[in-house]
Amino acid sequence: ADYTGESFGLNLGYRNIEEDYLAPGEWERLGTWFEPRGIEDFQAGANFGFGGNAKVRLRGIFGSVQNGGPDYNSLKGDVDFGFGGGWNGTVGYERFSFESSGTDPKQSWITVGVNRALGNNGLLKLVYQYGDHSFYGVKDRGRSDLKGHILFGQVTVKF
């Protein structure tokens, strides 16, 4: 269910994706788990506009893996803003975790980016992202802590 007002939006959802559901497509990822199956969760999100290009988006997913699997949650937040000269910025945070006895694997990302329109048909985008992942029992090696940085640049031209 969605509600969209002039400067406010709210969405709520429920999904149950069976383990054997194999249809092609994308129905959102959970952390680094793309097209998850065998899950049941509730979703809630809100977005706020503050005039100009300023926006805040918040989203939470709370669920469990079916057949006795662990509970999980995914929290995401983004702030978009304009800061003059045609430049826009974004700052975001995402955290995903499983809740299982004594392990609690976690994944988190911090994202900072800028973009600028290049005429009517182009866009320049620069994004930096830091990822921090703590897994337990990965490939029978015990705990694995993975941290990484990525800098991404993109130029888009529409024909």
Side-chain angles (χ1 to χ4, degrees):
D2 290 327
Y3 167 78
T4 304
E6 192 171 307
S7 61
F8 173 74
L10 180 66
N11 62 45
L12 299 170
Y14 166 80
R15 66 181 171 182
N16 181 344
I17 303 172
E18 297 291 332
E19 184 66 37
D20 295 327
Y21 184 72
L22 299 175
E26 181 174 326
W27 51 88
E28 190 173 22
R29 66 177 174 77
L30 294 170
T32 53
W33 186 12
F34 287 82
E35 285 92 32
R37 295 182 321 223
I39 62 167
E40 182 174 19
D41 60 36
F42 292 93
Q43 306 155 18
N47 57 69
F48 309 90
F50 295 102
N53 292 340
K55 298 177 198 164
V56 174
R57 289 184 304 276
L58 304 169
R59 181 164 169 83
I61 302 173
F62 310 93
S64 63
V65 177
Q66 296 171 349
N67 299 321
D71 292 341
Y72 59 84
N73 62 65
S74 175
L75 304 171
K76 299 176 186 179
D78 295 296
V79 177
D80 295 333
F81 52 92
F83 51 87
W87 288 94
N88 295 300
T90 187
V91 176
Y93 178 76
E94 179 178 353
R95 182 172 191 270
F96 172 75
S97 65
F98 282 111
E99 297 175 12
S100 53
S101 66
T103 59
D104 293 346
K106 296 174 183 63
Q107 300 174 322
S108 62
W109 296 268
I110 297 171
T111 304
V112 178
V114 295
N115 65 69
R116 185 176 195 283
L118 300 174
N120 291 330
N121 297 322
L123 178 71
L124 169 66
K125 188 177 202 179
L126 299 170
V127 177
Y128 166 77
Q129 189 170 66
Y130 170 75
D132 185 357
H133 304 259
S134 297
F135 296 97
Y136 297 84
V138 176
K139 296 184 181 178
D140 299 322
R141 293 183 300 180
R143 182 177 172 145
S144 295
D145 290 322
L146 308 170
K147 298 176 185 348
H149 307 266
I150 187 168
L151 181 61
F152 174 79
Q154 176 182 0
V155 175
T156 303
V157 178
K158 297 179 188 176
F159 295 97

